[in-house]
Amino acid sequence: MNAAKTLLGTVIGTLLLFGPSQAMAVTTLKLSHNHNRDHAVHQAMSDMAKEVREKTSGEVVIRIYPDAQLGSQRESMELMQNGALDMVKSNAAELESFGAAYSVFNLPYLFRDKEHLFKVEEGDIGREILNSTKGSGFVGLTYYDAGARSLYAKKPITSPSDLKGMKIRVQPSPSAIAMVKALGGNPTPLAYGELYTALQQGVVDAAENNIPSFSLSRHSEVAKFFSLDEHTMVPDVLVVSTKTLDKLTPEQQQVLYKAAANSSELMKKLWIQSEEKERAVAEKAGVIFSNVDKAPFVQAVQPIYAEIQKNDPELDVMVERIKNVK
């Protein structure tokens, strides 16, 4: 009798120990990005994390690490490939080093306007690009609006000739480097977190980015002239490890993809608000925003497309496909 009670107690204890814990197993996904908590993209990803948690009944939790707490975008990408991170918010310029297809987003003046960009991202071409890095151990979940990138410096830049001899910080992207060379500047690849000091100390003379990043990073304190040349529209990209995806059930994967897509739509609205707000903040701090004649800039970068046509037939086909998106 006592032996039976002992056996029963053991069985009940085992069920209590393993049954509920397995049923309520929580998968925690670590997501790294390099912006502060006030940035619109952090808000969009926070909304995504909330939706994923709710739609999976708490079985999948996304823990977000902002402010480059876990390293720069490049370092975070490497950590993800090594299995230490699950998700990273990067951008198309950085991702070019991992997947050549991303280079189309870094080509100057390829996209006619925002509407054209969104149609490409949300169509077959956009999905092809997101899936192109599967062999590198990750895929893209969605794109986030990051506005148009323009030049800023301690002096006005109104034409390509103004860039002659200037050291211009660029992301570690072959296309970004080629663009600055075509415009007559000296490209200087540099980590984003080092840029404020580099501008302050004259290590670089200029940089290029969107308005919210320019303002929120306080670069407006050390560069008072923002030239709206809008040379590229480089989206942020949310990527996830293929090993992480494989750990999720098909239903959880579907929830993640849907939540990511919803956060992308939210980001478009947040971006408009953020751009207006941060431009006002920068102007209050003494920054002068100038419209420029884009024609000389467009003309200056045409050798890039001639080079692609000559030496990279695959990329040239992609460029033509993008141009034909109406």
Side-chain angles (χ1 to χ4, degrees):
M1 185 71 175
N2 288 337
K5 285 183 178 179
T6 301
L7 178 60
L8 181 60
T10 301
V11 171
I12 293 172
T14 302
L15 288 171
L16 288 172
L17 180 62
F18 292 104
S21 65
Q22 288 180 340
M24 295 298 292
V26 176
T27 300
T28 300
L29 308 183
K30 294 181 180 178
L31 192 170
S32 172
H33 72 89
N34 65 343
H35 293 298
N36 62 41
R37 295 174 187 273
D38 294 329
H39 198 283
V41 77
H42 180 81
Q43 298 174 49
M45 289 188 294
S46 296
D47 195 78
M48 174 192 67
K50 181 181 178 182
E51 181 177 343
V52 167
R53 186 167 194 152
E54 290 176 351
K55 294 292 177 62
T56 63
S57 301
E59 291 179 358
V60 180
V61 175
I62 298 174
R63 184 172 295 164
I64 303 175
Y65 296 84
D67 288 316
Q69 292 177 33
L70 303 182
S72 66
Q73 286 185 156
R74 180 77 186 198
E75 291 166 341
S76 293
M77 289 296 298
E78 292 169 353
L79 284 171
M80 183 182 65
Q81 288 185 304
N82 292 333
L85 279 174
D86 301 287
M87 303 167 71
V88 177
K89 191 288 296 174
S90 187
N91 60 55
E94 296 252 358
L95 289 174
E96 183 180 347
S97 301
F98 297 88
Y102 278 101
S103 64
V104 295
F105 291 112
N106 307 317
L107 294 174
Y109 302 106
L110 175 58
F111 297 97
R112 297 185 295 273
D113 49 34
K114 276 284 191 74
E115 184 181 1
H116 182 210
L117 173 68
F118 293 155
K119 283 184 178 179
V120 171
E121 290 176 350
E122 294 161 11
D124 293 340
I125 297 173
R127 180 47 57 185
E128 284 175 31
I129 294 171
L130 291 177
N131 290 335
S132 68
T133 54
K134 194 170 184 179
S136 298
F138 68 92
V139 293
L141 286 173
T142 194
Y143 298 98
Y144 287 126
D145 188 7
R149 298 178 74 93
S150 293
L151 293 157
Y152 56 90
K154 295 181 180 180
K155 71 171 189 177
I157 296 171
T158 59
S159 71
S161 61
D162 293 327
L163 298 175
K164 188 174 182 179
M166 292 182 70
K167 298 188 293 289
I168 302 168
R169 181 267 176 177
V170 293
Q171 298 179 88
S173 151
S175 296
I177 291 170
M179 178 194 71
V180 169
K181 284 183 177 178
L183 291 173
N186 297 326
T188 306
L190 192 69
Y192 186 66
E194 300 172 15
L195 182 51
Y196 181 97
T197 303
L199 284 165
Q200 187 179 47
Q201 297 179 353
V203 175
V204 294
D205 304 306
E208 50 87 47
N209 213 322
N210 55 60
I211 293 171
S213 294
F214 166 71
S215 174
L216 289 168
S217 59
R218 295 174 32 242
H219 294 171
S220 53
E221 296 176 0
V222 289
K224 296 296 185 182
F225 295 91
F226 196 102
S227 301
L228 294 163
D229 63 291
E230 298 182 325
H231 45 265
T232 52
M233 296 180 186
V234 182
D236 280 340
V237 186
L238 180 62
V239 299
V240 60
S241 162
T242 51
K243 288 182 180 179
T244 295
L245 271 182
D246 290 342
K247 289 191 301 185
L248 303 178
T249 67
E251 293 77 17
Q252 290 171 342
Q253 290 180 16
Q254 189 175 6
V255 167
L256 180 60
Y257 270 100
K258 180 62 175 175
N262 289 341
S263 69
S264 178
E265 288 303 307
L266 173 62
M267 181 64 187
K268 292 176 184 177
K269 299 174 184 175
L270 292 174
W271 185 263
I272 293 171
Q273 297 169 10
S274 178
E275 198 168 66
E276 291 174 351
K277 175 185 174 184
E278 296 307 326
R279 175 167 177 167
V281 169
E283 287 176 331
K284 190 174 181 180
V287 174
I288 297 173
F289 287 83
S290 302
N291 292 312
V292 301
D293 179 5
K294 295 179 184 178
F297 290 87
V298 173
Q299 185 61 37
V301 300
Q302 290 314 300
I304 293 176
Y305 291 97
E307 186 74 14
I308 289 172
Q309 190 174 37
K310 180 181 177 182
N311 297 318
D312 196 337
E314 191 172 341
L315 181 57
D316 187 51
V317 169
M318 182 74 81
V319 166
E320 291 305 312
R321 285 177 64 194
I322 289 172
K323 287 180 180 178
N324 290 329
V325 172
K326 302 300 182 183

